[in-house]
Amino acid sequence: MLDANILKQLDAYLGYIKQPITLHLAADDSAKGQELSNLANTLAQRSALISVENWENDRRPAMAISAQGDKAPRVVFAGVPMGHEFTSLILALLQAGGHPSKASEQVQQQIKGLEGDLNFEIYISLSCQNCPDLVQALNLMARLNPRVSATMIDGALFQQEVDQRQVMAVPAVFLNGELFVQGRTELEEILAKLDTAGAERAAAELSEREPYEVMVVGGGPAGAAAAIYAARKGIRTALVAERFGGQVQETMGIENLISVPYTEGPKLVSAMEQHVKDYEVDIITHQRAAAMSSADGYHSIELESGATLKARSVILATGARWRELNVPGEQEYRGKGVAYCPHCDGPLFKGKRVAVVGGGNSGIEAAIDLAGIVKEVTVLEFSDTLRADQVLQDKANSMGNIRIIKMAQTTEVEGDGQRVTAINYIDRNSGDSHRIELEGIFVQIGLIPNTEWLKQSELALTQHGEIQIDAKGATNIAGVFGAGDATNVPYKQIVISMGAGATAALSAFDHLIRTPAPVTKAAEAAVA
């Protein structure tokens, strides 16, 4: 189950455990039950501080973790926490064993101050790259606050439960039996929903900060590169983002980043974030930009939280998101059969019929991945040719359960009020309408820039909403620059975004050294 290399790493981690841990095992006779039992016993065999005892639990197979002094276990894994969730298991063991969390003292105190009984259930898939962060956040909350419990549930293993609760996208979190959040969510966002007073205090603190020389808006490849290049110039730099990574976080395999033959999105995001942290960059995450204005030599970024930050120069690197179909039924059944991440949500459709809308690289890659899980995949492509690389087309054509329909214009998503039941399209050659009965639809038709918040500003945008920049990344507003997928750069690639971020930062530095700094109120008072 665990190879020699993983066991070696495991031994190193288990060495950090300082106090006894009990694994409460609720196994069954299934293959997964045996797998979980073997995992629990392996852990116990490799640490004298870990013991295993039988446990009565409604969900089987399941394993709970309790620390010395716990009245009852509060961290539960319903299923076998392998794949992306193996890290969640290791962290839960370390925290129960007395190893400190890396969360800030402020965040830990906020967790400990939460009131009321909070029972979290997190539905995940083991192939989901976004799920572990959420599982780990809720596990930490359960570890620090005795009134919080967190149960990870493998949706592919507990399919009947998933169907009953209408879970068709992961991660999906239920709080005390009611849907709480769905999709990628980080610890600070959860706390903001639970502790509104804390969010208001944080917004007030941000607004009191002195203006920056460079403020980067966005935490993807372009934003990270811009922040690093700006900080290396020794100028006061901030990076503001809802979260690090952007679309890269949801990218499974990356094979075209020069000098890196292969990596995965989350690994690259982690490396980018650490690289930024190596410099004196004021990183402000879990904040979404809402508006931009300019006055008195400063550019102001208003955040949705109510805070306002100022800087002498701004680099806009807000990236892009999945483009939507914009047809009837899509929004109604989003998360109820309409999905945008095949790696995350694909396992929930095991043995079912699905469609992939889009014939580019992402669409055909999605079809290939899904074909190994689902019963049947139908690819709907708007044009008369596929845009995917030939090697991907050949692979898709070689698989017996992938059907490709070209010249297909998607017109409607149908459902029964609870979930998707069909997709309708028009044959663009004949004009005939067609209906395909299915259970899932994966939309893969490209990206749309995250620039809606800039439409009320004086910033020049293209007809597609992209930020217009020149060869140096400059916009039509002096001191404001753009980089990455949010701009009119023709090719949306990680390596291109990184280069664009560097260009924008160097241009911002050039602007700063050629532009007199505004006279601050403090300086005016000193002269007076």
Side-chain angles (χ1 to χ4, degrees), residues 465-485:
E466 298 170 323
I467 301 167
Q468 292 188 13
I469 59 172
D470 63 17
K472 294 185 177 181
T475 70
N476 63 305
I477 301 176
V480 177
F481 303 85
D485 289 359

Side-chain angles (χ1 to χ4, degrees), residues 317-341:
T318 49
R321 63 187 184 278
W322 294 117
R323 186 179 296 276
E324 298 176 349
L325 293 170
N326 292 319
V327 299
E330 180 183 20
Q331 293 304 317
E332 181 181 355
Y333 293 101
R334 186 180 183 124
K336 299 178 181 179
V338 175
Y340 302 84
C341 180

Side-chain angles (χ1 to χ4, degrees), residues 199-263:
E200 291 172 358
R201 290 193 299 270
E205 186 274 327
L206 288 175
S207 296
E208 293 175 357
R209 297 189 181 185
E210 291 294 321
Y212 295 94
E213 292 178 285
V214 173
M215 179 162 46
V216 180
V217 184
I228 290 169
Y229 267 73
R232 285 176 60 85
K233 291 296 184 181
I235 53 181
R236 188 163 182 262
T237 303
L239 183 149
V240 184
E242 190 171 6
R243 56 175 62 93
F244 251 94
Q247 287 295 323
V248 176
Q249 184 73 40
E250 299 178 7
T251 302
M252 191 62 179
I254 300 169
E255 300 176 337
N256 55 1
L257 184 59
I258 310 307
S259 84
V260 183
Y262 179 83
T263 187

Side-chain angles (χ1 to χ4, degrees), residues 429-475:
N429 283 321
S430 66
D432 294 338
S433 296
H434 297 271
R435 180 178 184 272
I436 302 174
E437 293 186 355
L438 41 68
E439 289 77 36
I441 300 168
F442 291 84
V443 182
Q444 301 282 290
I445 56 174
L447 302 171
I448 185 169
N450 295 318
T451 58
E452 290 87 352
W453 64 283
L454 293 166
K455 290 182 179 179
Q456 301 303 316
S457 70
E458 297 179 356
L459 192 73
L461 304 175
T462 69
Q463 61 178 345
H464 301 296
E466 298 170 323
I467 301 167
Q468 292 188 13
I469 59 172
D470 63 17
K472 294 185 177 181
T475 70

Side-chain angles (χ1 to χ4, degrees), residues 16 22 53 108 115 148 163 226 233 289 316 334 371 390 402 410 429 527:
Y16 290 109
T22 301
E53 65 177 37
Q108 293 191 47
E115 299 179 352
V148 177
D163 291 342
K233 291 296 184 181
L316 301 171
R334 186 180 183 124
Q390 191 60 48
I402 295 179
T410 303
N429 283 321
V527 172

Side-chain angles (χ1 to χ4, degrees), residues 222 484 489-501:
V489 170
Y491 303 109
K492 315 301 185 186
Q493 298 290 314
I494 293 172
V495 68
I496 292 175
S497 291
M498 288 179 171

